[in-house]
Amino acid sequence: MSTSEAITNGVRVRVASQYLPEHSHASQSERQWFFAYTVKISNEGIDTVQLVSRHWVITDANGRTEEVRGAGVVGAQPVLAPGESFEYTSGCPLKTAYGTMRGTYQMVTDDGQQFDAEIAPFALNIPYAVN
């Protein structure tokens, strides 16, 4: 399991990833490793904030990079008052047994100020893999 944590303008983003062998196909011709990641977004600031969109940068072991952008997360655009948190789990397939993810959540405060909350890099790797 890999973890990361970052705080931007009072928004803490914690991520933990894990390999899901039951959803992976490492021995077939169309090789794919599948990873789940759980994100907890906590508002430790003084302003209410809303997550409006996401930007992920996913890099596999061959250096191939994919960028993913979209509205909200898992179909939601959560609003977090001070002291509130939102947690979700999602997944990522890779064509290699190791990779990384990093990104930002585009946030807006209740008075309309926008900022990017950092998602610190975290590893996607099978257990006992050596990179």
Side-chain angles (χ1 to χ4, degrees):
M1 182 175 288
S2 173
T3 61
S4 74
E5 184 173 329
I7 301 174
T8 310
N9 292 352
V11 174
R12 181 185 303 268
V13 179
R14 290 184 181 141
V15 184
S17 68
Q18 67 181 51
Y19 173 58
L20 298 179
E22 65 275 17
H23 296 288
S24 300
H25 308 285
S27 62
Q28 298 177 359
S29 61
E30 200 48 44
R31 296 170 65 125
Q32 178 175 279
W33 289 263
F34 196 83
F35 301 89
Y37 56 92
T38 299
V39 180
K40 184 174 184 180
I41 305 160
S42 302
N43 183 358
E44 299 177 357
I46 59 171
D47 296 315
T48 296
V49 296
Q50 181 176 17
L51 188 159
V52 293
S53 62
R54 68 191 183 282
H55 175 216
W56 286 107
V57 179
I58 306 161
T59 305
D60 71 16
N62 296 325
R64 191 172 29 245
T65 298
E66 176 184 0
E67 294 193 42
V68 177
R69 297 177 189 269
V73 291
V74 294
Q77 292 182 313
V79 175
L80 302 174
E84 291 184 335
S85 296
F86 179 81
E87 185 171 297
Y88 73 95
T89 299
S90 191
C92 177
L94 283 182
K95 298 225 181 263
T96 61
Y98 177 84
T100 61
M101 287 181 70
R102 62 181 171 82
T104 55
Y105 292 127
Q106 291 68 52
M107 311 294 288
V108 62
T109 64
D110 52 0
D111 65 0
Q113 294 186 29
Q114 298 181 16
F115 66 94
D116 288 344
E118 179 187 0
I119 307 164
F122 58 95
L124 304 171
N125 61 298
I126 62 173
Y128 314 110
V130 177
N131 182 26

